[in-house]
Amino acid sequence: MSTDNVQPDVDDESSLLSVDAWDRIKHTERFIFLISVGFALTFSYLFSRAPVISDVTQGYHGLTITILIWSIFALGFNLLLGQTGLLSFGHAMFFGTASYATALFSIHVFNEPLTIVVVGVLSAVAVGVVAALILLRLHTVYFAIVALAIGQFLYFLASNPLEGITKGINGLEVERTPLLGIVELDHQYRGILGELVVNNLYLFVGVFFVAVVMFITRIRKSPYGLIFKAIRENETRASFVGLDVWRYKFAAFLLSGGVSGLAGALLAVNTQFAGVERLYWSISGDIVVMAVLGGLGTIVGPIIGTFVWFYFRGIVNGFPTLGDYWLLMLAVSFTAVVWAYPDGIWGMITSLTEELRDPKALAAKVKARATGGSDAEGSDGGER
Amino acid sequence: MGSRTIHETANSVWFEVAGMTLDAAVGFVFIALSVASLYLLVAIGLSIVFGSLKYVNMAHGVLYLGGAYIGLLIASSEEYGGLLSEYGAIGLDLGFVAALILTPIIIFVLGVAMERFLAKPFYDRDLLDQLLVTFGVLIAAQELFAIVFGRTGTIYPRPDWLSGAISLPVIGTPPGLSAASTIRVLVVTLTLLLIAVIFAFFKYTDYGLAVRAGTEDSEMAEMLGIRVGRPFLLIFAIGAAYAGVAGVLGGSLFNVTNSIGMEIIIPSLVIVIMGGVGSLRGTVVGSLLAGFVFALATVVEPSMTQASIYLLAIVVLTIRPSGIYPSAKIGQ
């Protein structure tokens, strides 16, 4: 846990290649920035065009944009559940509201991608303020279920009484205009840039993706983010220390809602559409599955979870016989993860590499467990 | 929820309510009560398990879903999509009453299995883990049903004696009840009976006493020589059977698709929370409130019908964050 807040000295050249140095480097914000930029730049190419990885995903450039957007959503959701320990089963309220606000603003007021995305985020935060006033008095299951109730309320509100505004199941269309009035989002690149990012839309979403990763990393490494963790671990104790728990939960809720709203707004820009199904509980359920499957409380986990989800939904879905079972497989593996391995896929990877790297500690741990020692705490579970 | 039937009946009811006829008022009450009954039958099991075992069970929706499909298989012979599409019409075709009797028994067994294999390993774990794992089970089960039975909805064939207004042997249609359809009267009567049984179970039987003792302090109860495991199992399975009955009744009021499990569990959970966890009385009152608000919305502002229950829950929980009857003892 302590590694999060230490800013290690990276310039120590003598041990640059050692395992210790790697441990220090991989937690620096500079490194995370480079990795996320590198990931965003190469993801589309590796997934949909590189000849080596897999031929079933060839030509799925559109899917990579969707994955990036949903990764933002999963990261936003994770900020609340993984970081602060509040499970919301109604995160679709941010996603759908932002989607609608984006579309409505573009239709009725002013249509410029960056502006409408900002409007979407603000609308999600506004919903968050109201929802927080109701939700933050409740705990655990109550919180989750009432969040679900609020989400469903908004869904039914949008689908029926407000049909005149939201156009019900037909949804709203978002016309695509140039970014800042100059940059065409549909502009196709050629050459190496064309190979990597294809078009400006991918770049647009990619920049937001990197920004969100950095934003959340900053929160995680700040004292502010540590307080979120303290609340997750023990709310009562956090309040005994003198922290205003409600205020921090409120902040976490709004931050999470804002990031989720960003995803909803970006999706409206990407698909040029905003519909009522984005408020439905299944969206909230999907995002829970993605974040938990990948690994809660980490940066990489939710992204892996989103990737796995969309790999199944977009690619496995098309397989001849296996295709019908994609959601069943995901649901079963989600259940298995919660049941037996709460750290998710990313937790499996980190604990595996950790154990492989340090056989002595592994042996000691096994021994300690065998003798009933309880000091194995902290050595497993990765950093949350 | 497939509420078209409710909408239509309610709209026709509305025109008559304007004339303030007795029939219309009775019809309105029965719509409210039948909706409340369905929610109550599902919510009561949730409420007991949540209150006494501290276990939140979203997989309860599987029992409703299973009840609807098993009842359908017993009651009639239908052609399904999905994996069953090759086999033509499947079902025992024993009629509605047989389904109503046999389904709860099957779901009771399913409930026993669910308690042993799904709930028991999670009694000591975090509430959020329980919520997540049972959510996963529900989604998986719904997908399984979709794969086996197809994604298109099926409708219960309604026997003649169940459609139209109620008509008793000697006296014919009782006065004032001509606007209440037989199926709704059946739903309400059956629910009243079942709820009375569960209250009596808690109040008068030894097993009910053991559950109450176990809820109060399970360790202490066990030290006194009461094996609380078995009463808990029984009460879990009874709750399951009730959800199975609700599945058959709900299936004949609305239609049957693979997604009804989640569609019933959301309002039911909301009702349990709204009524106050662990309070049976709260769950009953919560369901009644939900039913009447639902029926009222169909009359006053039909577009708000679906949203009304959630709005009610939000309002109630804003005023009373711990529900209508906060932390009451089980069986009250």
Side-chain angles (χ1 to χ4, degrees):
Chain A
M1 294 287 171
S2 60
T3 44
D4 275 16
N5 276 27
V6 181
Q7 286 284 358
D9 181 16
V10 203
D11 302 327
D12 186 6
E13 299 242 352
S14 57
S15 61
L16 204 59
L17 291 174
S18 73
V19 171
D20 290 342
W22 165 244
D23 273 346
R24 273 186 286 128
I25 293 169
K26 76 177 180 187
H27 289 299
T28 58
E29 283 178 57
R30 225 177 310 170
F31 177 77
I32 294 172
F33 176 70
L34 287 177
I35 285 290
S36 56
V37 167
F39 172 76
L41 277 178
T42 52
F43 176 51
S44 170
Y45 174 73
L46 290 178
F47 188 72
S48 56
R49 282 177 301 285
V52 280
I53 306 276
S54 159
D55 57 349
V56 292
T57 62
Q58 290 284 317
Y60 279 97
H61 172 69
L63 190 60
T64 59
I65 299 182
T66 313
I67 292 177
L68 286 187
I69 292 173
W70 279 80
S71 297
I72 294 174
F73 190 11
L75 283 169
F77 173 79
N78 177 51
L79 192 60
L80 198 61
L81 177 57
Q83 202 76 6
T84 324
L86 294 171
L87 168 61
S88 151
F89 249 111
H91 247 53
M93 68 173 118
F94 304 118
F95 195 66
T97 308
S99 229
Y100 269 130
T102 305
L104 287 171
F105 195 81
S106 78
I107 291 167
H108 298 295
V109 188
F110 178 61
N111 191 0
E112 189 277 317
L114 202 60
T115 320
I116 60 177
V117 166
V118 170
V119 168
V121 173
L122 291 179
S123 72
V125 173
V127 166
V129 170
V130 179
L133 294 178
I134 302 165
L135 285 173
L136 289 182
R137 305 157 77 190
L138 310 167
H139 293 274
T140 55
V141 176
Y142 303 75
F143 181 92
I145 300 301
V146 177
L148 181 60
I150 295 175
Q152 284 295 87
F153 171 67
L154 289 178
Y155 167 76
F156 287 120
L157 200 66
S159 61
N160 237 327
L162 299 182
E163 205 182 348
I165 304 169
T166 62
K167 298 287 176 291
I169 47 170
N170 294 324
L172 299 164
E173 209 175 302
V174 184
E175 216 171 299
R176 188 166 290 165
T177 52
L179 182 65
L180 301 172
I182 357 170
V183 189
E184 286 288 345
L185 284 181
D186 285 326
H187 176 76
Q188 302 272 340
Y189 284 107
R190 290 199 194 128
I192 183 136
L193 209 53
E195 271 300 306
L196 288 178
V197 301
V198 182
N199 53 20
N200 272 330
L201 185 62
Y202 182 86
L203 217 52
F204 181 67
V205 173
V207 167
F208 275 110
F209 173 78
V210 173
V212 164
V213 170
M214 288 324 293
F215 177 61
I216 288 178
T217 312
R218 192 77 277 279
I219 292 175
R220 282 161 56 87
K221 288 184 185 300
S222 68
Y224 208 72
L226 261 189
I227 293 172
F228 290 166
K229 265 189 211 164
I231 292 170
R232 184 191 73 202
E233 295 303 329
N234 195 330
E235 203 181 311
T236 325
R237 247 184 229 181
S239 68
F240 285 169
V241 178
L243 298 167
D244 186 352
V245 170
W246 192 91
R247 208 187 82 196
Y248 288 101
K249 276 162 114 178
F250 186 65
F253 193 75
L254 290 193
L255 287 171
S256 172
V259 174
S260 307
L262 173 63
L266 286 175
L267 197 65
V269 171
N270 177 35
T271 57
Q272 306 185 20
F273 173 79
V276 73
E277 71 276 1
R278 285 185 197 157
L279 278 168
Y280 200 45
W281 68 262
S282 61
I283 297 286
S284 311
D286 292 352
I287 206 67
V288 172
V289 174
M290 286 179 214
V292 172
L293 196 61
L296 283 175
T298 59
I299 296 273
V300 189
I303 299 172
I304 291 183
T306 314
F307 179 81
V308 169
W309 172 275
F310 278 97
Y311 186 83
F312 271 76
R313 186 178 139 172
I315 312 293
V316 177
N317 198 3
F319 290 175
T321 42
L322 210 58
D324 291 341
Y325 301 92
W326 73 272
L327 186 54
L328 183 64
M329 288 189 280
L330 274 177
V332 169
S333 38
F334 166 78
T335 313
V337 159
V338 181
W339 195 304
Y341 213 96
D343 287 329
I345 298 173
W346 181 240
M348 289 181 203
I349 296 172
T350 46
S351 70
L352 190 72
T353 51
E354 241 164 57
E355 289 182 354
L356 285 179
R357 223 164 59 181
D358 200 350
K360 265 184 200 166
L362 180 63
K365 206 170 92 181
V366 171
K367 211 172 173 184
R369 278 212 184 140
T371 53
S374 59
D375 56 343
E377 198 75 9
S379 62
D380 51 34
E383 108 283 357
R384 278 195 155 192
Chain B
M1 189 168 264
S3 60
R4 184 177 295 153
T5 45
I6 288 186
H7 268 272
E8 282 166 6
T9 4
N11 278 340
S12 64
V13 165
W14 164 232
F15 295 118
E16 290 169 39
V17 166
M20 287 307 282
T21 62
L22 175 67
D23 279 0
V26 170
F28 172 81
V29 167
F30 268 94
I31 286 168
L33 284 181
S34 59
V35 171
S37 300
L38 269 188
Y39 288 144
L40 182 54
L41 282 179
V42 178
I44 200 89
L46 272 176
S47 176
I48 292 170
V49 171
F50 198 173
S52 59
L53 299 169
K54 303 285 171 292
Y55 181 72
V56 52
N57 187 18
M58 271 192 133
H60 204 68
V62 179
L63 303 166
Y64 178 86
L65 174 68
Y69 270 103
I70 290 170
L72 198 57
L73 285 175
I74 294 171
S76 73
S77 184
E78 304 273 339
E79 284 184 26
Y80 297 100
L83 291 180
L84 295 179
S85 59
E86 297 163 22
Y87 301 99
I90 294 174
L92 299 174
D93 209 1
L94 293 175
F96 189 72
V97 177
L100 212 47
I101 295 166
L102 292 176
T103 309
I105 298 171
I106 298 170
I107 299 295
F108 183 89
V109 177
L110 192 65
V112 171
M114 186 182 266
E115 204 271 350
R116 283 289 112 127
F117 299 115
L118 180 64
K120 215 173 182 195
F122 272 79
Y123 282 159
D124 291 333
R125 284 185 56 177
D126 200 32
L127 275 175
L128 289 187
D129 281 351
Q130 298 172 356
L131 194 65
L132 288 173
V133 99
T134 51
F135 172 70
V137 169
L138 177 56
I139 297 295
Q142 289 198 157
E143 264 311 291
L144 199 65
F145 273 87
I147 289 163
V148 175
F149 291 98
R151 281 169 209 281
T152 48
T154 320
I155 304 161
Y156 264 78
R158 204 178 282 182
D160 290 338
W161 59 271
L162 260 182
S163 36
I166 192 161
S167 157
L168 294 176
V170 185
I171 43 174
T173 303
L177 279 181
S178 58
S181 65
T182 315
I183 179 79
R184 289 182 192 280
V185 175
L186 177 78
V187 168
V188 173
T189 325
L190 207 57
T191 306
L192 280 177
L193 203 72
L194 290 172
I195 296 306
V197 167
I198 204 104
F199 272 86
F201 173 86
F202 274 117
K203 194 144 193 189
Y204 299 115
T205 67
D206 288 351
Y207 263 38
L209 189 66
V211 171
R212 279 190 284 156
T215 306
E216 197 77 13
D217 188 339
S218 68
E219 225 167 81
M220 192 66 211
E222 284 194 330
M223 274 197 269
L224 292 173
I226 303 165
R227 295 176 65 181
V228 290
R230 232 178 278 172
F232 277 163
L233 172 65
L234 182 71
I235 200 70
F236 192 105
I238 290 177
Y242 277 30
V245 175
V248 178
L249 295 175
S252 49
L253 271 182
F254 314 113
N255 66 344
V256 183
T257 65
N258 70 306
S259 60
I260 53 172
M262 194 69 193
E263 280 163 12
I264 195 82
I265 207 70
I266 297 174
S268 302
L269 270 171
V270 168
I271 284 169
V272 170
I273 302 247
M274 184 169 75
V277 170
S279 162
L280 289 191
R281 196 173 46 180
T283 307
V284 174
V285 171
S287 313
L288 284 175
L289 263 179
F292 273 94
V293 165
F294 184 92
L296 201 65
T298 55
V299 172
V300 179
E301 177 60 60
S303 64
M304 280 293 286
T305 310
Q306 309 255 284
S308 62
I309 295 177
Y310 301 106
L311 186 61
L312 170 77
I314 292 167
V315 170
V316 167
L317 285 164
T318 307
I319 300 167
R320 296 178 74 99
S322 334
I324 301 171
Y325 291 105
S327 64
K329 291 189 180 75
I330 190 79
Q332 285 189 341

